Amino acid sequence: MQKKINRALISVFYKDNLESIIHFLAKNNVEFVSTGGTQEFIEKLGYKVTPVEQLTGYPSIFGGRVKTLHPAVFGGILFRRDEPTDLTQAKEFKIAPLDLVIVDLYPFEETVAKGGGEEEIIEKIDIGGISLIRAAAKNYNDVLIVSSRSHYAELLSLLESKNSSTDLADRKRFAAKAFDVTSHYDSAIFNYFNQEQQLPSFKSSFQAGEVLRYGENPHQKGIYYGDLKEVFEKLNGKELSYNNLVDVDAAVNLMQEFSGETAFVIIKHTNACGVATGNSVKEAYLKAFAADTLSAFGGVLVTNQPIDLAAAEEINKLFFEILIAPSYDAAALELLRSKKNRILLKQQRPLTNTKQFKNLLNGVIEQDVDFKTDNSTDLKTVTKLAPTAEEVAALLFASKVCKHTKSNTIILAIDGQLISSGVGQTSRVDALKQAIEKAGSFGFSLKGAVMASDAFFPFPDCVEIASQHGIRAVIQPGGSIKDQDSIDFCDRNNMAMVFTGFRHFKH
């Protein structure tokens, strides 16, 4: 049923783009009811406003905490226009209907994000605003609710197309948007309090959403919730797919391990098939590519340094899906844009998530992000032979890659270059055999290489096999009841082994 807007309550924190709506409503003889700064804003545009205080008979009290919480306001929103008893009571108590409510919320999340003090944050918990939004959304049968400045353009288009009237479907759609706003707001407040209280309750809210072409496979629907523009600027190519996003996440997280170095990573199905550091992006890319020239085809590439023309000329020879960098030289960008579907992303900031979660069974599991990067102070030499300085550097490099590879995993490397990996195997021995075979297929000798494992060795078989192929140093968490068997073998065969004390399973 179409309803004409005759009376509007407008009370907002943000007044951006509000002026054109005010002008349109005034032109259509809509009566304004407002408070504080919004009242002044409308009056400065030259229009008459009924102050809320005039309706309620009360001034704004308690430092502005109570302004609109009154039956004269909420009654005008909530009474049902088709319910005889409600109509009788509205007439009895002289409550006039409100047909449009434009209300936003105090900037709670923004205040937390900028590091506001607790008193400032608490005062940004909106009470009247969120109550008005919920009331108007509940009575969508009679009232149109606009709960965010992001909805203003749609509101103005709607009012212009329907001559300041709305249909039930319009009002219900805006009500859904309103409950999206209020639920997100309440989740943010809860999560702020729960940093201290640690109640066993899970709430996470993302308001921005983008429908993807499909999910992991074409027969599955997929949606990404979040604002990618906060992290990346897309400089070329098609829209990212579900699988693209999963691989980009893996690539960027691994790259963040190499702060302060010039590094290059090539990802395929979330696992690294090439990782290297170098004196230039070109050098790092060529070393990374050499580890697996086959899997790199169609991969996701990332570096942590600007891409110059010399690097771009080499990278351009490869068919790849996505390239990520903090910036691109003009000539490099022009060359890389030669393939229209090739996705080029400029990373604008690091990832800052501190929690990971996913749904499984009939619930959700959540954990801290694994921020632990093994360093030299973590290393405990458990063999008679200690690793050399060069071997320590190689071990720590291998450990970084190992941490971001699907378990069970074995990483074989030298300082600054992944040689090969065994990934996602049901036994650690199979992971090692896969890595050894792969290294040989791409022409690498393992003599003097190092080995990293994401978890302990339950038996000495892995160090035995590694020794046969010339591997001289090993890094692993330790913690097996049979650790000594592996240590004894290393001692008999002049191998160095260090324990870190930190496991890095990745499932």
Side-chain angles (χ1 to χ4, degrees), residues 32-247:
F32 297 117
V33 177
S34 191
T35 65
T38 309
Q39 177 186 335
E40 292 176 13
F41 178 83
I42 298 172
E43 288 174 339
K44 284 181 181 178
L45 294 176
Y47 303 117
K48 181 181 177 182
V49 181
T50 300
V52 163
E53 293 87 346
Q54 187 175 315
L55 296 184
T56 65
Y58 283 89
S60 174
I61 57 177
F62 308 128
R65 285 188 166 196
V66 179
K67 288 183 283 192
T68 58
L69 297 169
H70 192 280
V73 177
F74 280 85
I77 295 170
L78 283 165
F79 87 81
R80 292 160 289 187
R81 278 57 157 178
D82 58 356
E83 174 61 50
T85 303
D86 285 13
L87 290 168
T88 299
Q89 289 181 330
K91 185 176 180 180
E92 177 185 354
F93 294 106
K94 297 181 175 60
I95 295 175
L98 288 162
D99 312 304
L100 169 64
V101 175
I102 303 178
V103 174
D104 62 9
L105 299 171
Y106 291 157
F108 178 83
E109 286 182 282
E110 294 88 335
T111 306
V112 172
K114 75 175 186 180
E118 184 169 2
E119 183 177 348
E120 183 185 6
I121 289 171
I122 297 305
E123 288 307 311
K124 290 299 187 291
I125 298 176
D126 208 311
I127 303 300
I130 203 164
S131 301
L132 290 166
I133 291 171
R134 289 177 61 85
K138 176 176 180 176
N139 197 23
Y140 67 84
N141 200 55
D142 299 305
V143 181
L144 178 68
I145 173 63
V146 180
S147 54
S148 169
R149 56 183 166 168
S150 66
H151 306 160
Y152 287 176
E154 183 180 352
L155 169 66
L156 187 57
S157 176
L158 171 65
L159 296 179
E160 288 174 341
S161 66
K162 296 186 178 178
N163 195 27
S164 198
S165 295
T166 62
D167 295 325
L168 179 62
D170 302 324
R171 298 189 295 274
K172 194 169 186 178
R173 183 175 69 257
F174 273 86
K177 289 172 177 283
F179 285 122
D180 176 36
V181 168
T182 59
S183 62
H184 178 82
Y185 194 76
D186 281 337
S187 292
I189 295 169
F190 168 77
N191 287 327
Y192 169 76
F193 277 90
N194 210 39
Q195 291 177 92
E196 179 182 331
Q197 301 302 322
Q198 295 292 297
L199 303 177
S201 179
F202 176 82
K203 288 178 176 61
S204 187
S205 176
F206 297 89
Q207 287 184 290
E210 180 181 345
V211 177
L212 305 173
R213 295 195 300 275
Y214 50 80
E216 198 163 9
N217 299 293
H219 61 277
Q220 295 170 274
K221 293 181 180 179
I223 301 176
Y224 175 76
Y225 295 104
D227 187 358
L228 277 177
K229 293 183 179 66
E230 291 182 358
V231 183
F232 301 111
E233 178 186 354
K234 186 158 74 70
L235 304 177
N236 191 71
K238 58 188 178 181
E239 296 303 313
L240 277 78
S241 70
Y242 181 101
N243 292 329
N244 288 157
L245 290 166
V246 173
D247 283 341

Side-chain angles (χ1 to χ4, degrees), residues 97 158 203 252 261 301 478 507:
L158 171 65
K203 288 178 176 61
V252 172
E261 303 176 83
L301 285 55
H507 293 104

Side-chain angles (χ1 to χ4, degrees), residues 24 59 104 169 182 222 264 316 465:
F24 182 86
D104 62 9
T182 59
F264 206 100
N316 194 53
I465 296 169

